Amino acid sequence: MTDQTHAARMDGIYATQRHFYDLTRKYYLLGRDRMIAELAVPSGGSVLEVGCGTGRNLAAIGRRYPDARLYGLDISAAMLDTARSKLGDRAVLREGDASGFEAAALFGVNGFDRVVFSYTLSMIPDWQGAIARGLAALAPGGSVHIVDFGQFERLPGWFRRGMRAWLAKFHVEPRAAMEGEVRRQAGGSGLTATVRKPFRGYAVMARIGV
């Protein structure tokens, strides 16, 4: 199931930007490589990235965990075209809505050892539903890993205002309720949540698992 309005919006934004997305985003999508280093994917384990975009993170995960099985989901067909050209047959990629996908139907996989959200929840309208679907897609003993924009709370006021205005141009909204929602859903699933706010609150990093 795909939210066609959101899909069209994402394709509209990234039809051109996807060609230089990775070059520009490395300067302000902070914490992605730290999250990848902390995944600790088990030998032969499976990793699903929800909102995989150009495939940059999946490529990095593949380099760090060479025997991992990689899967990617994105609502933007344009972004997936770029990801396929980058990853080839290294990853299984599917188009779908982060808040309404069924892992078994899309990927033929009943559960993943790691589910990753990297700077995607701030762009997904039903971001709470996306977290819930990520948890539902976990294999026993698996974990969900999140990195996204924080609230910039320990940064200057001028920076907070400017950053929020700039992000809004790309339909990006840092989720003020992220920590509470992560802890609520973790508790409801009988799991434990850890939440950090590195880079003076620029980013929020979370893990939900056993």
Side-chain angles (χ1 to χ4, degrees):
M1 177 178 173
T2 300
D3 181 336
Q4 297 299 330
T5 300
H6 186 51
R9 182 184 299 126
M10 293 300 99
D11 275 341
I13 292 173
Y14 293 117
T16 300
Q17 285 194 39
R18 64 194 173 101
H19 299 296
F20 51 85
Y21 181 94
D22 291 341
L23 179 64
T24 58
R25 266 54 177 185
K26 71 178 182 179
Y27 297 108
Y28 64 88
L29 299 187
L30 306 181
R32 294 181 297 172
D33 291 333
R34 181 184 297 186
M35 178 192 66
I36 290 169
E38 295 173 352
L39 287 177
V41 181
S43 179
S46 56
V47 181
L48 169 66
E49 182 176 16
V50 181
C52 63
T54 64
R56 182 265 183 196
N57 292 329
L58 284 174
I61 292 168
R63 288 192 295 270
R64 190 171 186 94
Y65 308 99
D67 62 348
R69 293 173 289 126
L70 306 180
Y71 301 84
L73 175 77
D74 205 281
I75 202 168
S76 169
M79 282 295 220
L80 285 173
D81 284 344
T82 298
R84 289 190 182 99
S85 67
K86 179 178 299 182
L87 294 164
D89 60 3
R90 182 65 179 88
V92 178
L93 305 176
R94 295 287 185 266
E95 183 178 345
D97 186 344
S99 60
F101 73 95
E102 294 290 341
L106 278 178
F107 298 103
V109 175
N110 290 324
F112 301 91
D113 296 298
R114 303 289 183 267
V115 174
V116 173
F117 294 89
S118 174
Y119 285 92
T120 54
L121 293 174
S122 53
M123 301 188 73
I124 297 170
D126 182 14
W127 61 276
Q128 301 96 329
I131 295 174
R133 294 313 307 158
L135 287 169
L138 285 180
S143 52
V144 168
H145 299 256
I146 297 167
V147 61
D148 215 311
F149 291 108
Q151 295 300 298
F152 318 115
E153 60 266 34
R154 299 191 302 280
L155 291 163
W158 61 265
F159 181 90
R160 294 196 300 270
R161 292 188 294 272
M163 192 68 178
R164 287 182 178 279
W166 184 74
L167 291 174
K169 296 179 184 294
F170 301 97
H171 303 280
V172 176
E173 181 184 351
R175 306 302 186 185
M178 177 75 78
E179 179 174 2
E181 184 65 18
V182 163
R183 295 191 185 282
R184 184 188 71 80
Q185 292 206 32
S189 300
L191 300 172
T192 299
T194 58
V195 181
R196 293 172 288 162
K197 300 175 182 179
F199 314 112
R200 300 178 65 188
Y202 182 96
V204 58
M205 299 183 70
R207 177 188 182 278
I208 305 173
V210 294

